């Protein structure tokens, strides 16, 4: 266990970061100019880190696979970003944000990291406002807040339903400023395909220029992976089509441990699958659960239209099971409850894999409210409907439009059909307090690391974490490593390790091209996704996981003998890119099942059917499983478990209850 | 002055020149049209000739005439330059273009409408400006009004004028409000009014000008 | 679930930037009206792969209308026949059985074709790099609420900031002009006190870069505004003009 040193500073929780920050070694400005940093990823984590490090004087190279850094998937985040500003005077504090995050994560995250996250959260908002991020404001001109699941205070800052977009564009503008000044060299349409290590330290990457297919070697004194989440291992998820695990997986094979890979967040309100052609799933903001009521018919296999089912034949199952929180239970609980109803045969829609999210009651409630406000005596049903719809439109108009766009159904008239979908991965590369992986000089930031969210992430906390890592953590903690690298001159990329790494990448690409089998990449990806969704999704069991591991191994073999990749290796070739990613997902999927099998408990996003209470709630085992499971790659299909014990010195562990 | 050249040579600057000269031409047209409309008083051209006489001899007006020509030439030169430059920005054309789905045809055809206008203007200037300023044919008994009566006997000429006025109408229907936008004057409170005034202006000016040759041709005025 | 479509697709195929391209015609059948336009292309592509042909290359990522990557010129209009949506949000129920659909890449000298329907839009990044930012280093910021901003301005700035950088404005414009894109950023920052400080300099630098990239001038046709999936307003172009000229004419 010697390898797993989280390097958490000494001292009391509240002082750790401040003290550490002032004692971490510094690199003087002249030396910074000769230190090169490679950053893979231009999402919130990557862009903020790149801009901040370049501002400090480091020479930075940034890579992303999209055609512009502004298109990283952070752009798609809707709801908001948390910060312990206490602008609402409702009792928020750094400690409360810290506490909510640990509790929301079902007591499976590291205290010191989470506290630091809460400490820097306020500065993130300051920084973003200074960049010109147009957050929502009140009439007095000050910032507006909304509340989000799992908390009792209003600490979420937002920009309509496009918070991620606005935050990313803010970070992107800072990044482009540095590009313009020549401090950052940007490589778009480049995919990182390997980490290069020299004498045990990360010293650069091999990247493929997607347009020409050329392989390139890039040196860096340190390498930062900010490559996002791997939810696409499930094929269908709310992630972008290109989101992948490739960068993290290559690092894993070069010695970086992957922690808690099985912790997956399944979001309860997504637009359901409409057919085999489905390529991705669209999230409907969590905020819809504030006013909508979720139900299924009481009768099994009811084929009537929603509006034809009378009130007394509807089962408002969340309100029934969780009277205290009702439709507002946390994500993991709402998702499992929907799955339970559908599996039992009460699902709705053509596929029977959906539940209703109904606004009819809210429309009437708001309509009557409006009527009262305007002193209308005996308003007609039509008047109430019209006024109610107007209120709902103002609050949720863009979401309703999006739903209609995708499904062709008008949610003002018929209830929306929703179903849970894979949304976020809490697991990722294991990092210490400095955000360094188990490979010296190799860092992981943002969703790519195993993060501060434990077994379940609270809404609006991923954006906070990505920006905290990039703006306010790495600029300090990287000094701890680079201060001792100032005597290392930039290395030639003609050295043996670079040549060897490039050769390996080339051979792998050639092997893929030469399989010339019969099935397109998507065929394998869909099959992997189905195995993962069925057996490593919302509910997992020993039997299912064991079977899946075998199935995935067989699928890996089939993939490597039967995949068909058209086109050329030295041209833009999206199928070749996809194939490389799916090959890595096939290995990751196996590890996820292994991890899920190892964790004989239920916690947060990980629900093992064998470990539940009598009424079907998650049953944690703090005695045996209060650890981070960090997996080391040994060889194909063989991974070694290392445990990082989680110590709670400031928080009392308790059972979550929402009844 | 390098800054001015740089500013006016930018894509924005070239448009600024269009807008300023365009607005200037618009104000000229108002005067021109107002004066010419006196023919509809049906006084045998008395008021019109008096006005034309004033215009021909007032030193301020004569100076303005030079400015006007300068402005027109600048507008034409800059317009053609923009038209050609803009064409080059899409070297490979689309196979299918559904322009009507997103814009008015005349807004996309300012170059064409302008060129039609130019052709018309040459004819027009040859008819009247040449007659009144460069020949000695203008006399007490052969007034500009008489010249109009003569010129507009030809149906071809009348047709050219009517087409010219239609081009002018459409050019202005877009150009009027467009100039305001180019100048940076776009405001949710005022822009709708500007657009309405622009439309009224374009239609009235074009219709009045077109009515003149028609009226002469059909002997509606004496 | 309303039934299936049979369609004729005419798609621009071009191997790379160096060779000439041409249209190819494909028939697709059994297309569900629930599919998105890109999913319909996925179906075609998987068939092409199985038949041993090169699939159609096209840009896409988020498939929910926010990353700005998808970019198809469909039947004469960027992002197809519906207003206010990106190509990835366009669904097949907007088409009729038996229809012929022509799909082309964005066409502009500043957006050279890379392959098939994929074009190079890095000119946009360079325009932003020229000045589309507030010069504030990490850590320089004051408390977020120390700077009250009228809600109206914040809302307007947000509306301009909603641009996804897709380039549909350029594709729609007869002059391939990038005014709507450029002005959206200039406006967003000019409307906020944080950005006001550099507003003039920013406008000058971004316009200069825009011209250098080879985009056309503006004829105020309004095609960009009509086709912009995010409803970016022409008011922004007017504001850009104001910022630009007040800066060039007044700076010392
Ligand atoms: C639909 C949706 C809504 C969400 N809403 C919220 C919300 O309201 N609040 C909240 O807090 N969180 C939300 N999240 C989560 C949050 O958006 C993400 O966790 C976060 O943005 C991830 O940021 P990142 O910088 O780590 O990665 P990303 O933004 O995903 O960036 C990854 C980057 O890595 C690059 N990359 C990846 N692999 C490679 C490679 N091999 N080579 C080169 N480059 C590579 C990509 O090009 C990209 O630039 C949401 C997520 C989704 C999907
Ligand atoms: C009396 C005559 C004319 C008047 C009143 C007039 C007026 C205008 C106005 C107001 C504009 C709009 C400017 C803007 O959008 O900012 C305009 C644009 C234009 N004019 Fe004219 N114009 C006249 C004659 C001509 C002629 C003779 C040409 C010759 C070629 C011409 C070519 C153009 C072109 C090409 C544009 C569009 C420029 C662009 O948007 O890119 N115009 N005109
Ligand atoms: S202004 Fe509109 S059309 Fe142009 S890039 Fe932005 S979002 Fe796309
Ligand atoms: S794929 Fe992201 S906007 Fe269409």
């Amino acid at each position: 266990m010697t390898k797993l040193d989280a390097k958490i500073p000494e001292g009391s929780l509240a002082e750790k970061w401040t003290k550490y920050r002032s004692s971490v070694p510094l690199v003087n400005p002249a030396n910074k100019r000769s230190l090169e940093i490679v950053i893979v990823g231009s999402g919130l984590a990557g862009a903020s880190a790149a801009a901040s490090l370049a501002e400090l004087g480091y020479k930075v190279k940034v890579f992303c696979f999209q055609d512009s850094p502004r298109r990283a998937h952070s752009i798609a985040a809707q709801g908001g970003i948390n910060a312990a500003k206490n602008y609402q005077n409702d009792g928020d504090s750094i400690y409360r944000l810290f506490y909510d995050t640990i509790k929301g994560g079902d007591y499976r995250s590291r205290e010191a990291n989470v506290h630091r996250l809460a400490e820097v959260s306020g500065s993130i908002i300051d920084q973003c406002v200074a960049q010109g991020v147009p957050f929502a404001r009140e009439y007095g001109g000050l910032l507006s807040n909304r509340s989000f699941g799992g908390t009792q205070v209003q600490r979420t800052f937002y920009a309509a339903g496009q918070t991620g977009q606005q935050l990313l564009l803010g970070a992107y503008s800072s990044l482009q400023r540095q590009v313009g000044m020549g401090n950052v060299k940007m490589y778009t349409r480049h995919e990182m395909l390997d980490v290069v290590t020299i004498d045990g330290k990360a010293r650069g990457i091999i990247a493929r220029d997607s347009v020409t297919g050329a392989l390139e070697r890039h040196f860096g004194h340190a390498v930062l992976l900010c490559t996002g989440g791997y939810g696409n291992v499930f094929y269908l998820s709310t992630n972008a089509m290109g989101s992948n695990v490739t960068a993290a997986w290559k690092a894993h094979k070069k010695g970086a441990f992957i922690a808690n890979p099985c912790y997956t967040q399944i979001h309860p309100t997504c637009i359901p699958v409409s057919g085999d052609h489905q390529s991705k799933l669209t999230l409907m903001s969590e905020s819809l659960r504030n006013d909508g009521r979720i139900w299924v018919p009481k009768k099994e296999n009811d084929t009537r239209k929603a509006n034809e089912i009378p009130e007394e034949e509807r089962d408002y199952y969340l309100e029934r099971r969780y009277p205290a929180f009702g439709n507002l239970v946390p994500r993991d609980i709402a998702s499992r409850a929907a799955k339970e109803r559908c599996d039992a045969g009460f699902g709705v829609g053509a596929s029977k894999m959906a539940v209703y999210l109904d606004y009819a009651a809210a429309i009437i409630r708001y309509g009557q409210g409006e009527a009262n406000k305007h002193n209308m005596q005996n308003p007609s049903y039509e008047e109430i409907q019209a006024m109610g719809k107007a209120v709902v439109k103002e609050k949720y108009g863009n979401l309703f439009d999006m739903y209609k766009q995708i499904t062709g159904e008008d949610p003002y008239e018929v209830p929306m059909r929703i179903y849970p979908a894979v949304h976020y991965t809490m697991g990722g590369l294991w990092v210490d307090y400095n955000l360094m992986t188990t490979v010296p000089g190799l860092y992981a930031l943002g969703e790519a690391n195993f993060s501060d969210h434990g077994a379940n992430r609270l809404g609006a906390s991923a954006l906070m974490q990505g920006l905290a890592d990039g703006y306010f953590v790495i600029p300090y903690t990287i000094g701890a490593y680079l201060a001792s690298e100032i005597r290392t001159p930039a290395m030639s990329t003609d050295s043996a390790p670079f040549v060897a790494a490039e050769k390996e990448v080339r051979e792998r690409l050639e092997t893929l091209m030469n399989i010339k089998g019969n099935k397109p990449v998507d065929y394998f990806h869909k099959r992997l996704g189905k195995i993962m969704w069925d057996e490593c999704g919302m509910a997992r069991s020993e039997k299912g996981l064991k079977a899946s591991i075998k199935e995935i191994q067989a699928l890996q073999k089939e993939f490597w003998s039967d995949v068909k990749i058209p086109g050329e290796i030295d041209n833009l070739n999206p199928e070749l890119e996809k194939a490389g990613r799916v090959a890595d997902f096939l290995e990751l999927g196996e590890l996820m099942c292994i991890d899920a099998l190892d964790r004989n408990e239920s916690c947060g996003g990980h629900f093992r059917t064998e470990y539940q209470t009598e009424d079907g709630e998650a049953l944690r085992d703090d005695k045996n499983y209060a650890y981070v499971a960090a997996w080391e790659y040994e060889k194909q299909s063989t991974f070694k478990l290392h445990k990082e014990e989680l110590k709670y010195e400031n928080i009392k562990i308790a059972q979550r209850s929402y009844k | 002055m390098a800054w001015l050249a740089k500013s006016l040579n930018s894509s924005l600057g070239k448009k600024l020149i269009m807008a300023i000269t365009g607005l200037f031409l618009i104000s000229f047209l108002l005067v021109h049209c107002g004066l010419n409309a006196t023919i509809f008083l049906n006084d045998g051209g008395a008021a019109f000739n008096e006005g034309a006489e004033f215009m021909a001899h007032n030193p301020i007006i004569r100076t303005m005439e030079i400015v006007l020509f300068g402005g027109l030439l600048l507008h034409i030169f800059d317009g053609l330059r923009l038209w050609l430059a803009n064409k080059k920005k899409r070297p490979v054309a689309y196979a299918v273009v559904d322009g009507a789905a997103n814009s008015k045809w005349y807004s996309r055809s300012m170059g064409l409408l302008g060129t039609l206008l130019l052709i018309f203007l040459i004819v027009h200037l040859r008819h009247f400006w040449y007659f009144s300023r460069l020949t000695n044919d203008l006399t007490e008994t052969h007034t500009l009004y008489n010249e109009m009566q003569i010129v507009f006997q030809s149906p071809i000429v009348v047709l050219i004028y009517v087409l010219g006025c239609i081009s002018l109408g459409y050019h202005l229907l877009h150009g009027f409000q467009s100039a305001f936008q180019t100048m940076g004057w776009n405001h949710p409170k005022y822009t709708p009014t500007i657009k309405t005034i622009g439309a009224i202006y374009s239609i009235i000016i074009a219709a009045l000008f077109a009515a003149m040759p028609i009226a002469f041709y059909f002997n509606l005025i004496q | 679930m309303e039934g299936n479509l049979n369609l004729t697709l005419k798609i621009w195929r071009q191997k790379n930037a160096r060779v000439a391209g041409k249209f190819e015609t494909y028939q697709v059948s059994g297309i569900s009206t629930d599919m998105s336009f890109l999913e319909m292309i996925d179906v075609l592509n998987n068939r092409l792969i199985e038949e041993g042909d090169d699939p159609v290359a096209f840009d896409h990522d988020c498939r929910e209308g926010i990353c700005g990557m998808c970019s198809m010129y469909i039947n004469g209009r960027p992002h197809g026949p519906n207003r206010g949506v990106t190509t990835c949000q366009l669904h097949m129920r907007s088409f009729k059985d038996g229809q012929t659909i022509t799909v082309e890449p964005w066409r502009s000298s500043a957006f050279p074709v890379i392959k098939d329907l994929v074009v190079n839009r890095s000119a946009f990044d360079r325009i932003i790099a020229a000045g589309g930012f507030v010069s504030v280093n990490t850590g320089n910021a004051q408390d977020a609420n120390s700077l009250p901003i009228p809600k109206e301005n914040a809302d307007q700035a947000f509306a301009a900031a909603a641009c996804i950088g897709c380039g549909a404005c350029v594709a729609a414009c007869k002059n391939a002009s990038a005014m709507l894109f450029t002005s959206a950023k200039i406006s967003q920052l000019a409307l906020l006190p944080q950005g006001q400080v550099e507003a003039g300099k920013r406008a000058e630098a971004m316009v200069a870069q825009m011209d250098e990239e080879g985009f056309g001038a503006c004829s105020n046709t309004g095609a960009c505004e009509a086709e912009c999936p995010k409803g970016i307003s022409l008011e922004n172009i007017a504001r850009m003009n104001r910022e630009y000229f007040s800066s060039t004419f007044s700076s010392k």
Side-chain angles (χ1 to χ4, degrees), chain A residues 463-505:
Chain A
L463 301 181
M464 170 172 69
Q465 181 229 333
L467 289 180
D469 287 358
Y471 284 136
F472 297 110
V473 178
I474 198 73
Y476 296 96
T477 59
I478 204 167
Y481 177 73
L482 289 181
S484 60
E485 289 290 326
I486 50 176
R487 270 170 223 92
T488 313
M491 294 176 186
S492 156
T493 54
D494 293 331
S495 63
F498 271 101
V499 175
E502 186 193 308
K503 183 161 167 274
E504 210 178 300
V505 170

Side-chain angles (χ1 to χ4, degrees), chain A residues 55 87 129 172 241 568, chain C residues 15 61 64 125 138 143 194:
Chain A
E55 285 160 9
Y87 281 159
V129 166
Y172 160 77
M241 301 301 287
E568 300 103 24
Chain C
K15 205 171 169 91
D61 198 25
E64 54 182 270
D125 286 332
T138 305
D143 184 82
Q194 308 88 299

Side-chain angles (χ1 to χ4, degrees), chain B residues 11 90 95 101 174 178 184, chain C residues 83 104 107 173 211 219-220 242:
Chain B
S11 56
R90 179 160 293 135
H174 178 66
S178 172
Chain C
R83 288 209 168 184
E104 302 173 68
R107 296 264 186 224
C173 177
D211 288 351
S219 291
N220 299 330
R242 291 202 294 276

